[in-house]
Amino acid sequence: MSRLIYMGFKLLEPYEGKLSRTVLRGESGSNPADLPDKAIASPLMANYILYLYKTMRKFWGEPIVVTQELGDILGNAVIKDSILASSDTICLLDQSKFRRNYEQVAKLLSLDEVEQRKIFTINALDNKSGRGKFKEVYIKRGNTGEVYGVEVSLFQYLTFTTEKPEKTAVESYVARYGSYPAGLEAFVSDLRSSGLGLADFVRQVNAE
């Protein structure tokens, strides 16, 4: 069973990029990898990242590394032997697409069978009834981790969504009402009064 975290942030202006997180993503996404193969493969860049990582920790900084590709971790000695070995916290999103090739990752991250079973429950359990829309994440600190459900408000979701149909529908309201907050308020108000689900309402808006 996942634990639910509600993130009660104030409405912010949208941005195209995503904040980096210490995470091995298993999900598809529109953003480029944060550790491109060609750049990280360069000895100069690899040594710089290692220097940056160690220097930040000395000054009580918190370096954060994010990647979507297994090869970024398994195929690079700097990340595998230095960065991951010094990571106090590891966050994993949906790992289902890596399941057939998870032995190396499990060994690298010191994940026993119990922890692996937790990881493969991410977004896979029938636990959505009666709850708001949420995604799950596995967070490991020390030797053990837990799966948490992360829920944001509809306003937050629509502000930061990377789904093109949703972005297009919201942006049409923004253009109509002259500002992002006003357009988003009107969009959510019309969505709720329509009685439609988000996907159906988005299709209706984009068809107009």
Side-chain angles (χ1 to χ4, degrees):
M1 177 181 293
S2 65
R3 302 179 184 182
L4 190 64
I5 304 174
Y6 174 73
M7 310 296 285
F9 300 121
K10 293 182 179 179
L11 178 63
L12 302 175
E13 288 295 318
Y15 58 91
E16 292 300 322
K18 287 185 176 178
L19 295 177
S20 294
R21 298 170 178 83
T22 308
V23 56
L24 172 60
R25 291 177 176 166
E27 302 175 329
S28 60
S30 59
N31 298 319
D34 296 79
L35 295 176
D37 291 339
K38 292 182 180 179
I40 197 68
S42 163
L44 183 62
M45 178 62 76
N47 289 331
Y48 170 73
I49 292 175
L50 178 57
Y51 163 79
L52 180 65
Y53 197 91
K54 290 185 175 181
T55 302
M56 286 182 66
R57 290 174 63 88
K58 289 180 181 178
F59 289 91
W60 302 98
E62 186 177 9
I64 298 176
V65 178
V66 59
T67 181
Q68 289 182 233
E69 300 298 330
L70 280 174
D72 289 341
I73 293 178
L74 301 178
N76 190 282
V78 172
I79 299 177
K80 183 169 67 174
D81 299 332
S82 300
I83 295 179
L84 277 179
S86 302
S87 294
D88 301 308
T89 303
I90 295 175
C91 304
L92 304 176
L93 300 187
D94 191 340
Q95 301 290 291
S96 57
K97 79 172 187 178
F98 300 138
R99 190 162 192 162
R100 294 183 180 180
N101 185 34
Y102 215 66
E103 292 81 5
Q104 289 177 290
V105 178
K107 182 178 180 181
L108 183 63
L109 301 181
S110 301
L111 300 170
D112 59 27
E113 291 186 6
V114 173
E115 297 305 304
Q116 290 180 60
R117 284 197 292 271
K118 293 179 186 177
I119 290 167
F120 290 121
T121 67
I122 296 174
N123 298 329
L125 299 179
D126 184 16
N127 58 356
K128 308 297 188 295
S129 179
R131 302 170 69 175
K133 188 172 184 177
F134 67 94
K135 288 283 190 177
E136 293 179 329
V137 58
Y138 170 86
I139 302 177
K140 180 187 178 190
R141 299 192 66 186
N143 296 323
T144 61
E146 297 291 344
V147 175
Y148 296 88
V150 182
E151 178 183 2
V152 298
S153 71
L154 181 58
F155 287 92
Q156 290 171 265
Y157 173 80
L158 291 170
T159 299
F160 299 107
T161 180
T162 56
E163 297 295 329
K164 188 173 182 179
E166 295 171 352
K167 287 171 65 72
T168 300
V170 172
E171 286 167 0
S172 70
Y173 269 73
V174 172
R176 186 187 311 170
Y177 287 89
S179 71
Y180 201 90
L184 190 58
E185 286 279 359
F187 183 94
V188 173
S189 177
D190 288 352
L191 168 62
R192 289 171 173 168
S193 62
S194 72
L196 299 173
L198 177 59
D200 291 333
F201 183 73
V202 165
R203 280 193 291 270
Q204 177 178 292
V205 171
N206 290 335
E208 294 177 353

